[in-house]
């Protein structure tokens, strides 16, 4: 039987929010089977819970933001991507502020924290959302069209196309595809960093965004080149970061997907709309478990194996 997973012990880290610029402490704690992924604001007079679900996303400008009344938890996508990549089903995430810390701009730090906490199987079957028919969302037209699609697939794979009119990005791959039956989240995706443009910094900061961004946690580009002295971690790091984001956004479905995700110029907003569109059509999916150990070869790669 494929089992649900949590972590063995609590671990902590401290960082800043890429948009708020505020210092925040993050604690990851084990959770019982069937709890799901739950964020908690512990800096408020009473602890406020934020289940990591697409229906709880209330803002998608530059990040996926969970809301509960007037309160929020922002920029959950990188941590959600790490949880998906390591197959974590149940976990409590405590925050002393409104934004998940950006760390190095990728999912790598969160992967390190989760692995250092230890991963533990639980006595409950792991549940998947198996896509039964194609779901697609489209916005814009002509050169401005962007779209995202989920197709039936026995495992989990993603294919993404980008189209940025910037010489440094255009000189790298504008398409990437990963299939987690054979590819490694840790090796191939987790280290891909977020990126931004120097000329947009003042505009973003005037809107309350990007206040914690710097060359240590963002790939920064001027009009012609990458400003980070160490360059890129992957030759196709830009498009791979979009895949990293999509993995996190899709995990807000509440369970791992068995599907093929294909997208062109998608972002947090379109990804959220895609998950909501899927869940709004009960005949488009089913929740399944796997009793046979053979299923590991179909839906698990080595990143999901217990250390």
């Amino acid at each position: 039987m494929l089992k649900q997973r949590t972590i063995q012990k609590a671990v902590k880290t401290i960082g800043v929010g890429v948009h708020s610029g505020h210092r925040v402490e993050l604690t990851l704690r084990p959770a019982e089977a069937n709890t799901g992924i739950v964020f908690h604001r512990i800096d408020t007079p009473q602890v406020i819970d934020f289940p990591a679900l697409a229906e709880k996303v209330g803002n998608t400008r530059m990040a996926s933001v969970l809301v509960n009344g007037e309160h929020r938890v922002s920029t959950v996508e990188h941590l959600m991507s790490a949880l998906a990549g390591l197959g974590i089903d149940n976990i409590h995430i405590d925050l002393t502020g409104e934004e998940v810390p950006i760390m190095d701009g990728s999912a790598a730090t969160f992967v390190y924290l989760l692995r250092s906490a230890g991963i533990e199987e639980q006595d409950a079957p792991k549940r998947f959302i198996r896509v039964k028919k194609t779901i697609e969302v489209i916005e814009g037209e002509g050169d401005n069209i962007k779209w995202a699609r989920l197709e039936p697939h026995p495992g989990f794979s993603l294919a993404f196309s980008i189209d940025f009119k910037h010489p440094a990005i255009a000189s790298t791959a504008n398409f990437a595809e990963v299939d987690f039956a054979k590819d490694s989240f840790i090796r191939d995706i987790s280290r891909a960093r977020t990126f931004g443009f120097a000329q947009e910094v003042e505009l973003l900061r005037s809107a309350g965004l990007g206040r914690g961004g710097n060359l240590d946690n963002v790939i920064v580009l001027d009009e012609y080149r990458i400003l980070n002295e160490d360059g890129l971690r992957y030759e196709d790091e830009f498009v791979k970061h979009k895949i990293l984001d999509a993995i996190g956004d899709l995990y807000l479905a509440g369970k791992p997907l068995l599907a093929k995700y294909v997208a062109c110029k998608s972002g947090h907003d379109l990804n959220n709309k895609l998950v909501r569109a899927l869940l709004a059509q009960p005949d488009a999916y089913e929740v399944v478990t796997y009793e046979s150990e053979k299923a590991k070869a179909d839906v698990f790669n080595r990143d999901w194996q217990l250390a």
Side-chain angles (χ1 to χ4, degrees):
M1 177 177 72
L2 297 182
K3 296 181 177 181
Q4 293 180 32
R5 315 176 94 188
T6 188
I7 55 175
Q8 294 176 355
K9 63 182 181 181
V11 289
K12 295 183 179 182
T13 190
I14 297 172
V16 298
V18 69
H19 294 305
S20 67
H22 295 156
R23 178 183 181 276
V24 61
E25 182 177 291
L26 175 145
T27 303
L28 306 175
R29 297 187 286 115
E32 296 294 323
N34 300 313
T35 298
I37 297 165
V38 186
F39 291 81
H40 308 278
R41 286 281 301 275
I42 62 171
D43 59 315
T44 51
Q46 292 184 325
V47 175
I48 302 172
D49 301 333
F50 299 81
L53 298 171
E55 66 191 52
K56 302 297 184 181
V57 173
N59 189 305
T60 52
R61 185 180 182 190
M62 304 293 291
S64 288
V65 182
L66 301 172
V67 298
N68 184 342
E70 62 182 16
H71 299 281
R72 49 186 262 159
V73 167
S74 179
T75 320
V76 303
E77 57 272 9
H78 298 172
L79 177 51
M80 290 296 298
S81 191
L83 293 167
L86 295 180
I88 306 296
D89 303 277
N90 306 299
I91 195 167
H92 294 292
I93 303 163
D94 298 337
L95 293 165
T96 61
E98 70 169 26
E99 188 173 13
V100 175
I102 190 63
M103 310 316 291
D104 73 341
S106 75
T109 302
F110 300 124
V111 167
Y112 172 81
L113 283 170
L114 291 163
R115 296 179 84 186
S116 67
I119 297 171
E120 182 175 278
E121 289 190 339
Q122 300 173 287
D123 192 21
K126 192 178 191 76
R127 294 177 294 176
F128 297 83
I129 294 175
R130 187 175 74 85
V131 173
K132 296 167 60 179
K133 71 176 187 179
T134 298
I135 299 292
E136 185 176 59
V137 290
I138 303 173
E139 291 185 355
E141 56 186 23
D143 291 341
N144 296 319
I145 195 169
K146 54 185 178 179
W147 51 269
R149 182 169 68 237
L150 288 170
E151 303 172 354
H153 184 70
F156 183 46
S157 70
L158 303 96
F160 205 107
S161 299
I162 58 174
D163 183 20
F164 288 92
K165 309 301 183 185
H166 187 284
I169 298 178
S171 67
T172 70
N174 61 11
F175 174 81
E177 185 169 10
V178 292
D179 186 333
F180 290 115
K182 57 183 179 65
D183 296 314
S184 164
F185 175 83
I186 294 173
R187 182 192 65 222
D188 299 323
I189 299 296
S190 71
R191 298 178 66 248
R193 295 161 293 173
T194 192
F195 55 95
F197 303 94
Q199 62 267 33
E200 296 179 358
V201 168
E202 290 307 316
L203 179 63
L204 287 172
R205 290 182 175 173
S206 67
L209 300 169
R211 293 176 176 176
N214 57 57
L215 291 170
D216 293 327
N217 55 40
V218 178
I219 302 171
V220 182
L221 303 104
D222 65 12
E223 293 183 12
Y224 306 103
R225 61 192 176 93
I226 297 167
L227 300 181
N228 306 64
E229 290 185 3
D230 57 349
L232 298 178
R233 294 176 175 177
Y234 304 106
E235 292 182 358
D236 51 356
E237 188 167 1
F238 298 107
V239 67
K240 279 190 171 175
H241 184 78
K242 300 297 286 185
I243 289 177
L244 186 154
D245 277 349
I247 291 168
D249 289 339
L250 295 176
Y251 206 31
L252 291 167
K255 300 174 184 65
L257 295 178
L258 298 177
K260 181 174 183 178
Y261 166 88
V262 187
C264 177
K265 298 188 287 187
S266 186
H268 302 302
D269 183 61
L270 211 59
N271 291 338
N272 183 256
K273 289 176 178 176
L274 180 63
V275 174
R276 289 180 183 236
L278 172 68
L279 299 179
Q281 298 190 45
D283 64 332
Y285 70 94
E286 63 180 347
V287 177
V288 299
T289 61
Y290 287 89
E291 300 299 322
S292 169
E293 288 295 311
K294 180 182 178 299
K296 287 186 178 179
D298 298 325
V299 299
F300 281 172
N301 69 13
R302 61 186 181 86
D303 292 344
W304 283 31
Q305 306 307 309
L306 291 174

